[in-house]
């Protein structure tokens, strides 16, 4: 199998896993009264991919996950908020990987979560034209830092296990 086909296959599997995680997470009731707060477990795959694939490959993974996720949930309006957050997060983490090594990718995940919330808030401000929603922003940032740390640590565990497995092969 050529290197190109192998990478494409890996990206397809990662995209499918991220989409499955996203759909499963939707089944978990949100215990917080603030819209937009969730763990974002599908980002475990994104954080992993940022450190193991080219920028355009990760962008494709995120784009397919966003589009299919919004189609499967039937919520195309949420695509605007999700895309704004996801792409700002992605750009930020791609830049951060220059300074934050793979052993500390959980830190990039925290920054990515903050950027994700910032992108979502910017989209909400543009769409709703209601500055009062900025009152949610501190809560989103706090929850984003906690969720980003959690998903980043999960991505760290996945990365460590996959690296050990590749070394054994």
């Amino acid at each position: 199998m050529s290197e190109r086909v192998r990478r494409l296959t890996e990206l397809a599997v990662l995209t499918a896993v991220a989409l499955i995680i996203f759909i499963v997470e939707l089944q978990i009731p949100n215990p917080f009264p603030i819209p937009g707060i969730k763990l974002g477990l599908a980002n475990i795959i994104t954080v992993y991919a940022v450190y193991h694939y080219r920028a355009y490959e990760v962008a494709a993974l995120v784009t397919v996950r966003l589009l299919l996720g919004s189609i499967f949930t039937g919520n195309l309006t949420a695509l605007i908020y999700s895309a704004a957050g996801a792409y700002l997060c992605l750009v930020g983490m791609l830049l951060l990987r220059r300074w934050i090594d793979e052993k500390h990718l959980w830190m990039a995940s925290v920054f990515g979560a903050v950027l994700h919330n910032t992108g979502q808030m910017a989209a909400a401000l543009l769409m709703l034209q209601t500055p009062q929603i900025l009152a949610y922003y501190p809560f989103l940032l706090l929850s984003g830092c906690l969720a980003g740390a959690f998903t980043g640590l999960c991505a760290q565990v996945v990365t460590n296990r996959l690296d050990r497995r590749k070394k054994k092969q």
Side-chain angles (χ1 to χ4, degrees), residues 43-63:
N43 291 321
I44 294 168
I45 304 303
T46 304
V47 174
Y48 169 80
V50 162
Y51 280 84
H52 291 91
Y53 293 91
R54 295 178 186 102
Y56 73 90
E57 293 171 326
V58 185
L61 184 154
V62 169
T63 300

Side-chain angles (χ1 to χ4, degrees), residues 29-39 139 143 146:
N30 186 355
F32 303 103
I34 299 170
I37 291 181
K38 65 180 196 163
L39 280 174
F139 300 104
S143 70
L146 295 172

